[in-house]
Amino acid sequence: MIFDAFFKAIAQTGDPRFRRVLALGIGLTLALLVAAYACFLVLIQWLVGPDATVPVLGEVRWLDDLMSIGSLIFMLILSVFLMVPVASAITSMFLDEVAQAVEDKHFPHLPHVRKAPLWESAKDTVNFLGVLITANVLALILYVIFPPAAVFIFWGMNGFLLGREYFTLAAARRIGLPEAKKLRRKHAGTIWMAGTLMAMPLSIPLINLVIPILGAATFTHIFHALNRRG
């Protein structure tokens, strides 16, 4: 079911509406990554000054490096970690549009739903980002204690959190938040697996740019499949 949902999402990339949202999502993802990276460099500059010598990288001038090829490579590497909160932010912005495009194509009999108010979506996003960032900061301890398992901890933890958020948002727009939570608890294993399979490509630079939007479409399909099961 999970792979079927994902392949349906990929197949819809030819849909002009879906392609527009995908392009917007990729553009915003890049913008958020650059902004996050710039904030990271500003923080480094504040901690160590405008010039510093870093092992492997050598002397770092933050403003110059921000525009350099070396910095671009570093940003791609850093995107492995930054893409998780970025993916969370992207879904709250575009899930309604993505889900509606999916439903118009695959579930045309369904009535349109009211789009959630912007302030409500923003509040939910901020709350979830807080949980996501806190969990990832705490997970650094586990990465140090269990280095060989770090990547699996990263995938499993973020898969659980992202799957939970994506599914809840996709379900709540149709059946309301209380019922969405019930359905999520009932199918927690499937949702966690789907979230983990989403978290894995999020850790691959460049490929991770398309995952937030494809993930929103995939979880829309997953919701409808699980909702039919009850």
Side-chain angles (χ1 to χ4, degrees), residues 58-70:
E59 188 178 26
V60 175
R61 292 185 177 86
W62 79 276
L63 189 57
D64 291 340
D65 283 357
L66 182 60
M67 306 302 294
S68 71
I69 295 176

Side-chain angles (χ1 to χ4, degrees), residues 17-202:
R17 281 180 59 198
F18 192 88
R19 200 162 53 232
R20 182 186 72 83
V21 178
L22 184 63
L24 285 172
I26 291 173
L28 187 56
T29 298
L30 278 170
L32 287 173
L33 278 175
V34 170
Y37 180 58
C39 290
F40 173 79
L41 289 181
V42 169
L43 176 63
I44 294 299
Q45 184 200 26
W46 179 73
L47 290 173
V48 301
D51 298 313
T53 300
V54 178
V56 180
L57 295 178
E59 188 178 26
V60 175
R61 292 185 177 86
W62 79 276
L63 189 57
D64 291 340
D65 283 357
L66 182 60
M67 306 302 294
S68 71
I69 295 176
S71 182
L72 177 61
I73 294 171
F74 186 49
M75 186 178 74
L76 290 175
I77 295 170
L78 198 61
S79 75
V80 171
F81 304 97
L82 294 177
M83 272 306 299
V84 173
V86 166
S88 174
I90 289 293
T91 188
S92 67
M93 297 176 190
F94 291 106
L95 186 130
D96 269 314
E97 290 185 66
V98 173
Q100 194 60 60
V102 168
E103 290 173 348
D104 286 347
K105 180 176 177 62
H106 295 277
F107 310 96
H109 59 285
L110 294 175
H112 280 226
V113 295
R114 180 183 66 86
K115 189 173 182 179
L118 183 60
W119 67 268
E120 190 176 306
S121 298
K123 183 184 72 173
D124 291 341
T125 299
V126 170
N127 289 340
F128 183 75
L129 276 175
V131 173
L132 196 64
I133 292 170
T134 301
N136 276 278
V137 169
L138 293 176
L140 292 173
I141 300 171
L142 295 178
Y143 299 160
V144 173
I145 298 173
F146 307 107
V151 67
F152 301 106
I153 295 170
F154 178 84
W155 287 339
M157 181 189 66
N158 287 295
F160 174 79
L161 293 172
L162 288 173
R164 178 186 173 93
E165 184 195 23
Y166 270 61
F167 182 83
T168 302
L169 289 173
R173 62 187 295 276
R174 278 288 166 192
I175 59 177
L177 188 57
E179 290 301 315
K181 288 181 177 179
K182 286 182 186 177
L183 193 63
R184 186 187 70 204
R185 284 193 293 267
K186 186 174 181 180
H187 300 284
T190 299
I191 293 166
W192 189 356
M193 177 63 70
T196 301
L197 291 173
M198 175 184 165
M200 292 168 72
L202 275 177

